[in-house]
Amino acid sequence: MDVMSLGFRTDLALLRLGGSTVTDRGDHLVVHTPDNPTFWWGNFLLLPAPPHVEDLDGWLDRFAAEHPTARHIALGFDGTSTVPADELLTHLRSPDRGFTVETSTVMTATTVHPPAHPTADAVVRTLESEDDWAQSVEVRLACDAEDVEAGTFGSADHRPFVVARAATARALCTAGHARWFGAFLGDRLVSQLGLVDAGDGLARFQSVETAPDARGRGLAGTLVYHASLVGLHEMGARTLVMVADPDYLAIRLYRSVGFAGTEAQTQASRPPR
């Protein structure tokens, strides 16, 4: 299966670098991440397009066959402007199905400029020490706390998931495939992001996060700008890729340093019941 979506192409590149397996079944791809079975988007099916309603159960059966121990369900729909038909959206979101369907904006940049309100308070550097990476886990957990409380993540599974993701990120950095940047106030990590070499002149941003009590200080914009310069001038990237929630305020931040929306990426997931 040839993948058209720049979002999914870079997703798959990063997953392979992190140890996931991607199996081509001809009419779809199967992604497994054995080291992190609770990582929904490391254990999913990528379909060439949103299915017809009458074909959905067949795809759910395939997911169950490929991921027999998974408690979640995750389906990606390839394409550059893919939006499921209203009939499928209504069906997926119905109470008996219980899926969340999300369409993200895939943003790209080939040049960047400083944000309107850069921070001068923080030290920006790569994560290096055990303490840096331990703090990285805590920043992610703090950012996800509301989602855990709302049931988006299972609270019992979420810390192991975040710890495993941090271990994968650190391994990518050690192997020279990525750099993870942090903004520090004193010794405290308050904002972070990753930039991964996805091959073919592409570098993909990951996990742009700021601790809830440190927001509104220009930290994320400063980090994105700094990491972008490193990606373009030190990592050999020609195009920077960012996937963003079109309804979240951070998308304005990315636009402010030079990113523009170029594609849409759609995914459907159902949490463990």
Side-chain angles (χ1 to χ4, degrees):
M1 172 179 157
D2 293 327
V3 179
M4 298 174 56
S5 163
L6 187 59
F8 280 119
R9 279 170 50 201
T10 51
D11 280 339
L12 294 171
L14 272 57
L15 286 163
R16 289 187 179 101
L17 287 172
S20 301
T21 62
V22 180
T23 305
D24 191 341
R25 300 294 191 207
D27 62 346
H28 68 288
L29 301 182
V30 181
V31 180
H32 286 101
T33 305
D35 293 341
N36 199 354
T38 62
F39 177 23
W40 299 357
W41 294 110
N43 298 278
F44 71 101
L45 301 186
L46 179 59
L47 282 56
H52 296 293
V53 169
E54 59 269 24
D55 297 328
L56 179 61
D57 284 337
W59 286 111
L60 298 184
D61 289 342
R62 291 192 192 189
F63 181 90
E66 296 283 3
H67 299 282
T69 63
R71 296 170 54 224
H72 73 281
I73 300 174
L75 305 173
F77 307 132
D78 189 29
T80 58
S81 58
T82 302
V83 178
D86 289 344
E87 183 184 14
L88 178 62
L89 282 173
T90 300
H91 189 68
L92 286 166
R93 290 168 171 164
S94 65
D96 60 323
R97 290 296 187 179
F99 280 82
T100 296
V101 182
E102 298 177 319
T103 298
S104 301
T105 299
V106 180
M107 311 185 77
T108 59
T110 55
T111 61
V112 292
H113 47 77
H117 304 289
T119 182
D121 299 332
V123 173
V124 175
R125 61 174 176 82
T126 53
L127 305 192
E128 303 291 346
S129 68
E130 291 289 341
D131 181 64
D132 289 348
W133 286 100
Q135 289 197 65
S136 173
V137 169
E138 298 307 320
V139 169
R140 177 64 182 270
L141 288 171
C143 292
D144 288 344
E146 292 181 353
D147 292 324
V148 172
E149 292 171 4
T152 306
F153 303 112
S155 57
D157 293 337
H158 195 55
R159 178 174 281 274
F161 158 76
V162 173
V163 170
R165 289 286 286 156
T168 299
R170 188 174 186 180
L172 288 175
C173 294
T174 300
H177 299 306
R179 302 193 193 184
W180 230 258
F181 300 90
F184 291 80
L185 294 177
D187 294 329
R188 183 191 172 204
L189 176 67
V190 290
S191 187
Q192 65 178 342
L193 60 80
L195 187 62
V196 186
D197 183 350
D200 297 325
L202 301 171
R204 170 70 183 269
F205 277 87
Q206 292 279 277
S207 305
V208 183
E209 298 160 341
T210 301
D213 64 348
R215 292 172 183 166
R217 304 176 64 164
L219 294 163
T222 300
L223 270 183
V224 170
Y225 175 64
H226 175 84
S228 295
L229 293 179
V230 172
L232 293 169
H233 300 301
E234 297 182 25
M235 296 174 65
R238 297 187 299 275
T239 303
L240 305 170
V241 182
M242 177 90 71
V243 177
D245 181 344
D247 299 320
Y248 188 56
L249 56 86
I251 197 169
R252 297 200 302 269
L253 180 155
Y254 308 143
R255 290 191 177 112
S256 75
V257 298
F259 283 80
T262 54
E263 296 181 4
Q265 180 185 29
T266 301
Q267 302 167 305
S269 60
R270 188 174 78 190
R273 288 184 163 179

